[in-house]
Amino acid sequence: MQTSFTVPAPGREQSIDCSRARRAYPTLERSAYFNYGAAGPLSVNALDAICRAYGFLANCGPFSIEANLWVEEEVAVTRSLLEAELDAPAGTIAFADSICAACNIVLWGIEWLAGDHIVISASENAGVAAAVQTVAERFSLKVSQVAVSRCTIEDPISQIARVLRPETRLVILSHILQPTGEAMPIAQIRQLCRSQQGSGPMLLVDGAQAAGAVPVSLQSLDPDFYAFTGSKWLCGPGGLAGLHIRSDRLELLRPSSVGWRNLLAERTGMAGLYAGARRFDIGVSAYPLYTGLRAAIELHARAADIGERTRRMLEMTRYFRRGLLTLSRQIPIRFIPDDTECGTASGIVSFAIGGCRPAELVQFLEARQILIREIDDPQCARVCIHYLTTAEEIDHLVEAIDAFLVRRRI
Amino acid sequence: MQTSFTVPAPGREQSIDCSRARRAYPTLERSAYFNYGAAGPLSVNALDAICRAYGFLANCGPFSIEANLWVEEEVAVTRSLLEAELDAPAGTIAFADSICAACNIVLWGIEWLAGDHIVISASENAGVAAAVQTVAERFSLKVSQVAVSRCTIEDPISQIARVLRPETRLVILSHILQPTGEAMPIAQIRQLCRSQQGSGPMLLVDGAQAAGAVPVSLQSLDPDFYAFTGSKWLCGPGGLAGLHIRSDRLELLRPSSVGWRNLLAERTGMAGLYAGARRFDIGVSAYPLYTGLRAAIELHARAADIGERTRRMLEMTRYFRRGLLTLSRQIPIRFIPDDTECGTASGIVSFAIGGCRPAELVQFLEARQILIREIDDPQCARVCIHYLTTAEEIDHLVEAIDAFLVRRRI
């Protein structure tokens, strides 16, 4: 399957000094950490930046001309950095608390007509699926849930094509599927949407498992909307996520959860909402988080560029898959999906162990300071490999899985 | 005018050791701070609590069984503390980023019919007013803006009564008006709403300038909805606010911005939203902020109970008004509203100086590390007096205002 991002070929000799980079993350000193897809660990750099920002606000007074100028600048600089990071045009990223909140900007921003149709993949985050269900009930919309994972189907493009109708207004799909790590062919699905009658449905991409993990170029992917968070693969603080809104959709989408942060000036009302994505900003008022996210991103940039980071992540992922495969010669470990080819597009490795609930394994490992998580659908254990992950950490995980199998007499 | 809260009479000898309490706030060491109504200063206790919480998450890994149990507990304990603080029944407070976000839970949660009518006071926060305008445009609602301040009218109750119609579904009013500090007769306005035909309009109270400043009993006030924030008079971190939803409204109000945090378990969909106000939670994912807010509240509780804190705040407010009055014998300072009786229900003192823009005064004072703010409508300077405010701080402010008048040859 074609992936939706390009990892540049290695250029001049460049290797990541991981042991040095890892020292900035207290979590990595204490645990073998494999839950980047849920929440990235905070670095001391990011934490110091957050504390320094609080210190600054305490110094100049949390509400003052100086503090307000600083807040304005923090938000603007962070917006620009994220736009650069995701190769998005200036003024197209709005801030939200989380991926779900970002998706809600779209879901409550479209002027729905009763009977309009939404297509959502069956591999989306449960919160996003619940948000879709909520908006569908409110505005009497139809929803089709479509399997897109190789666990059950061959080709996501034809699956989505089959359910599109003239009334389809929105298609929701992850860039990288959170349960299985499969990369979706976003560019082709965007083409499919545009080739429909009329203007075709809009495409909302959930980039939760892509942003910070693999190179993302929104100019090239060109979806209508792209939700992402700083709190997973980018290792920023929880509570700061974003939504890219394609320039031509900025005027089409209607603001929903409006407040003072969207107003050009007090008492200007709707006519006075900011231009650009800023009119859609819904969070967050904890401004030190912006400072923290920038520090997180800058730390990655100092380690290596995103191409090199992704290469290392994929190399380590292959190393883990090989390790698990060695074990699975004797015991019933099954990759999900059971397809080695498509399981190499991200750092996510999901697997099931015959005869045992994933929760048992997760608990067994956490007691040994090895952190992975379970996924409900499909039921499996999920391991996230980051560029920060070392071979030693993986060896430790593989040995612990082996010990678990022995203990459980599997 | 009757106020909507009761300050208990002084009991046994109890006085607040302000100089000791103030030492916890770095801002107060550096500035004469009078912007509590915009953003309260963070204490070292709250900041340490935030940093310790981040440290804990780094220790156990930001996503782990241990961290997830901790997050669950942090949110639950903070919800209970706020319910106790505001005398609200258990399970009736939802979390949001800000007052505006909290109001949007109500505005997007009512099943509007085209032609439904909203009454909003003319003294509400500009962000809340813009939120109302947004929802009115989307659902074809009518909006009446009503003057409630003594700046222009005698009696807010009769003003609101005049615009109520059978189609009025919602009345929005602040507990304490943010531009002028006037306390509104919430209980009587609630009675007015209930006495209307049918079930009568619901009442959404903006408690931004009340929570943490004066005793608030939601059981006794009994509004349908009450928005508040931890970031102003309670001196908690920015980004953590809340909405009280009266128990009988919990089932009536529909969730809008839904996400994973509202789901009982993954993949349970709408049927599986949490019971109680938690189904309306929209923020915040920066869990250390909950820890920080609790530390902020505990610090106030250690200084004195809310009754004593309010008494001191009102005493200091009278002291400032007297100081300003002394000056204004010679020069054109005008209190807003110009009514000494109604200007003593809160710590907010607003005033205008003839022949000068408030921004000039704000800048002049900030250059001397005295922080107040300007208000656009009515155009005035706003000073917020907290129980933490000292007579020395007020003397310093009054002297600086005098110096400004001399400099400006007013």
Side-chain angles (χ1 to χ4, degrees):
Chain A
M1 188 193 300
Q2 211 182 326
T3 62
S4 45
F5 53 84
T6 313
V7 182
R12 56 188 172 72
E13 202 62 33
Q14 187 195 26
S15 93
I16 304 179
D17 180 357
C18 245
S19 61
R20 181 155 175 258
R22 286 170 60 88
R23 279 202 292 271
Y25 301 85
T27 297
L28 304 184
E29 302 264 310
R30 295 182 186 90
S31 321
Y33 194 73
F34 298 100
N35 281 334
Y36 297 90
L42 210 59
S43 59
V44 289
N45 303 51
L47 184 54
D48 286 353
I50 291 171
C51 292
R52 270 202 315 278
Y54 275 118
F56 172 81
L57 288 172
N59 241 314
C60 64
F63 190 94
S64 57
I65 299 167
E66 192 182 358
N68 294 345
L69 288 172
W70 176 84
V71 163
E72 183 81 9
E73 180 72 8
E74 277 303 283
V75 175
V77 171
T78 309
R79 198 185 315 268
S80 296
L81 179 63
L82 287 167
E83 283 160 355
E85 192 73 11
L86 301 175
D87 188 26
T92 62
I93 283 181
F95 288 108
D97 170 73
S98 63
I99 291 274
C100 290
C103 289
N104 273 309
I105 297 175
V106 177
L107 290 170
W108 292 86
I110 294 172
E111 288 195 82
W112 300 106
L113 298 174
D116 278 350
H117 180 233
I118 299 178
V119 173
I120 178 170
S121 106
S123 297
E124 298 310 300
N125 173 280
V128 175
V132 167
Q133 205 178 331
T134 304
V135 84
E137 286 177 16
R138 185 73 73 87
F139 297 105
S140 306
L141 313 177
K142 309 279 183 198
V143 178
S144 298
Q145 214 180 41
V146 187
V148 293
S149 163
R150 286 215 175 185
C151 292
T152 44
I153 60 107
E154 271 301 304
D155 171 28
I157 303 170
S158 61
Q159 291 294 314
I160 290 173
R162 275 173 46 193
V163 297
L164 291 182
R165 314 172 192 168
E167 312 87 66
T168 310
R169 300 279 304 280
L170 186 66
V171 172
I172 303 173
L173 180 65
S174 283
H175 194 167
I176 292 175
L177 302 184
Q178 51 105 10
T180 59
E182 295 160 86
M184 290 291 106
I186 298 299
Q188 289 99 308
I189 286 165
R190 184 203 65 212
Q191 279 309 106
L192 173 67
C193 289
R194 304 242 171 107
S195 68
Q196 302 302 298
Q197 284 184 322
S199 55
M202 293 181 283
L203 179 60
L204 164 57
V205 176
D206 178 347
Q209 305 303 334
V214 298
V216 172
S217 165
L218 291 176
Q219 306 250 29
S220 132
L221 271 185
D222 199 28
D224 299 274
F225 310 108
Y226 192 95
F228 65 93
T229 178
S231 65
K232 295 178 186 285
W233 299 84
L234 285 171
C235 304
L240 191 51
L243 175 74
H244 160 73
I245 302 166
R246 209 176 62 204
S247 307
D248 62 337
R249 299 300 186 194
L250 283 168
E251 289 304 312
L252 181 137
L253 199 68
R254 299 188 69 170
S256 49
S257 191
V258 159
W260 53 267
R261 85 175 73 239
N262 313 112
L263 294 180
L264 264 165
E266 292 203 8
R267 304 198 57 76
T268 54
M270 277 292 285
L273 292 190
Y274 279 108
R278 185 172 178 178
R279 63 167 51 195
F280 298 99
D281 278 359
I282 49 176
V284 56
S285 305
Y287 298 107
L289 299 184
Y290 296 80
T291 326
L293 177 53
R294 287 208 314 285
I297 291 173
E298 282 153 16
L299 192 60
H300 297 313
R302 282 214 295 277
D305 65 32
I306 181 70
E308 180 60 29
R309 276 145 47 198
T310 306
R311 266 194 301 278
R312 188 186 148 85
M313 173 186 82
L314 295 178
E315 186 188 313
M316 287 293 111
T317 305
R318 285 189 294 271
Y319 181 74
F320 173 58
R321 294 177 75 91
R322 282 198 303 274
L324 214 53
L325 228 41
T326 318
L327 284 182
S328 69
R329 281 185 199 146
Q330 285 88 40
I331 48 91
I333 283 182
R334 184 168 53 86
F335 287 113
I336 292 178
D338 197 0
D339 177 340
T340 47
E341 186 200 345
C342 77
T344 51
S346 75
I348 295 176
V349 180
S350 293
F351 60 94
I353 298 177
C356 110
R357 289 185 307 109
E360 282 182 67
L361 175 63
V362 172
Q363 283 163 33
F364 178 90
L365 295 175
E366 181 154 337
R368 285 147 189 82
Q369 282 302 109
I370 301 170
L371 302 175
I372 73 168
R373 74 168 287 185
E374 58 172 318
I375 296 285
D376 283 347
D377 183 26
Q379 210 180 46
C380 60
R382 187 183 78 178
V383 169
C384 294
I385 313 270
H386 199 262
Y387 82 86
L388 290 166
T389 308
T390 60
E392 293 69 33
E393 232 175 346
I394 291 172
D395 291 343
H396 189 39
L397 169 60
V398 171
E399 284 157 22
I401 293 173
D402 197 28
F404 174 76
L405 295 171
V406 169
R407 166 85 69 94
R408 284 280 274 98
R409 297 167 195 271
I410 294 174
Chain B
M1 189 193 299
Q2 209 181 328
T3 62
S4 46
F5 53 85
T6 313
V7 182
R12 58 188 170 74
E13 201 62 34
Q14 187 196 28
S15 93
I16 303 179
D17 181 357
C18 245
S19 62
R20 182 155 174 255
R22 286 171 59 89
R23 279 201 292 271
Y25 301 86
T27 297
L28 304 185
E29 303 265 309
R30 295 183 185 91
S31 320
Y33 193 72
F34 298 100
N35 281 334
Y36 297 89
L42 210 58
S43 59
V44 289
N45 303 50
L47 184 55
D48 286 354
I50 292 171
C51 291
R52 271 203 315 277
Y54 275 118
F56 172 82
L57 288 173
N59 241 314
C60 64
F63 190 95
S64 57
I65 299 168
E66 192 183 358
N68 293 347
L69 287 172
W70 176 84
V71 163
E72 183 79 10
E73 181 72 9
E74 278 303 285
V75 175
V77 171
T78 309
R79 199 186 314 268
S80 296
L81 179 64
L82 287 168
E83 284 160 354
E85 191 74 12
L86 301 175
D87 188 26
T92 60
I93 283 181
F95 288 109
D97 171 73
S98 62
I99 291 274
C100 289
C103 290
N104 273 309
I105 297 176
V106 177
L107 290 171
W108 292 85
I110 293 173
E111 288 195 83
W112 299 108
L113 298 174
D116 278 349
H117 180 233
I118 299 177
V119 173
I120 179 171
S121 104
S123 297
E124 298 310 300
N125 174 279
V128 175
V132 167
Q133 205 178 331
T134 303
V135 85
E137 285 178 15
R138 186 73 73 88
F139 296 104
S140 305
L141 313 177
K142 308 279 183 198
V143 178
S144 298
Q145 213 178 42
V146 187
V148 293
S149 162
R150 286 215 175 182
C151 291
T152 44
I153 59 107
E154 271 302 303
D155 170 28
I157 303 171
S158 61
Q159 290 296 313
I160 290 173
R162 276 173 45 194
V163 296
L164 292 182
R165 312 173 193 169
E167 312 87 66
T168 309
R169 300 278 305 277
L170 187 66
V171 172
I172 304 173
L173 179 65
S174 284
H175 194 168
I176 292 175
L177 302 184
Q178 50 105 11
T180 60
E182 295 160 86
M184 290 290 108
I186 297 299
Q188 289 99 310
I189 286 166
R190 184 205 63 211
Q191 279 309 107
L192 172 68
C193 289
R194 303 244 171 107
S195 68
Q196 301 302 298
Q197 284 185 321
S199 55
M202 293 181 283
L203 177 61
L204 165 57
V205 176
D206 179 347
Q209 305 303 333
V214 298
V216 173
S217 165
L218 291 175
Q219 307 250 28
S220 131
L221 269 187
D222 200 28
D224 299 274
F225 311 107
Y226 191 94
F228 64 93
T229 178
S231 64
K232 296 180 186 284
W233 298 84
L234 285 170
C235 305
L240 191 50
L243 176 73
H244 160 72
I245 302 167
R246 209 176 62 203
S247 307
D248 62 336
R249 298 303 186 193
L250 284 168
E251 288 305 312
L252 182 138
L253 200 68
R254 298 188 69 170
S256 50
S257 191
V258 158
W260 54 267
R261 86 173 74 239
N262 313 110
L263 293 180
L264 263 165
E266 292 204 6
R267 304 198 58 74
T268 53
M270 278 293 285
L273 292 190
Y274 280 106
R278 186 171 178 178
R279 64 168 51 196
F280 297 99
D281 277 0
I282 48 175
V284 54
S285 304
Y287 299 107
L289 299 185
Y290 296 79
T291 327
L293 176 54
R294 286 207 316 284
I297 291 173
E298 283 153 16
L299 192 59
H300 296 314
R302 281 214 297 276
D305 66 31
I306 181 70
E308 181 60 28
R309 276 145 47 199
T310 306
R311 267 194 300 276
R312 189 185 146 85
M313 173 186 83
L314 296 178
E315 186 188 314
M316 286 295 111
T317 305
R318 285 189 293 271
Y319 181 73
F320 173 57
R321 294 178 74 93
R322 282 198 302 274
L324 214 52
L325 228 42
T326 319
L327 283 182
S328 67
R329 279 183 199 146
Q330 284 88 42
I331 48 90
I333 283 182
R334 185 168 52 86
F335 287 113
I336 293 178
D338 198 359
D339 178 340
T340 47
E341 184 201 347
C342 75
T344 51
S346 75
I348 296 176
V349 179
S350 292
F351 60 93
I353 298 177
C356 111
R357 291 185 305 109
E360 281 183 68
L361 174 64
V362 171
Q363 283 163 33
F364 178 90
L365 294 175
E366 181 154 336
R368 284 145 188 85
Q369 281 302 109
I370 300 169
L371 302 176
I372 74 167
R373 72 167 288 186
E374 60 172 315
I375 296 285
D376 282 348
D377 182 28
Q379 210 180 48
C380 59
R382 186 182 80 179
V383 169
C384 294
I385 312 270
H386 199 262
Y387 82 85
L388 290 166
T389 307
T390 60
E392 293 70 33
E393 231 175 347
I394 290 171
D395 292 343
H396 188 40
L397 169 61
V398 171
E399 283 158 20
I401 293 173
D402 196 30
F404 172 77
L405 295 170
V406 169
R407 167 84 68 92
R408 285 282 274 95
R409 296 168 195 272
I410 293 174

